[in-house]
Amino acid sequence: MYLMEIAGDITERIQEIAFGLSIIISGLFLLEYKRFTQEQEKQEMIDGFLNDN
């Protein structure tokens, strides 16, 4: 009985840690995606300006 409780607690902690890590990784990907899209838009604006002249 005690061993079953410990196993359940360990499983629950692992799931909590995995969820926390997935939130952190998703946040990092979102920040990188925003940075990439801003850089791409900036490059497109520069290219458009240079091609118009």
Side-chain angles (χ1 to χ4, degrees):
M1 181 74 167
Y2 179 70
L3 198 56
M4 297 281 285
E5 289 178 26
I6 292 175
D9 289 343
I10 290 172
T11 303
E12 188 176 322
R13 298 292 176 248
I14 290 172
Q15 289 174 347
E16 291 171 355
I17 291 169
F19 179 73
L21 287 174
S22 68
I23 295 295
I24 291 169
I25 291 170
S26 295
L28 292 173
F29 273 112
L30 178 63
L31 292 174
E32 188 66 21
Y33 174 76
K34 283 185 175 183
R35 188 187 65 78
F36 176 76
T37 55
Q38 287 175 347
E39 186 67 31
Q40 189 175 11
E41 288 173 358
K42 184 173 115 181
Q43 188 64 37
E44 287 173 358
M45 285 176 31
I46 292 171
D47 289 345
F49 177 75
L50 292 175
N51 290 334
D52 287 342
N53 291 330

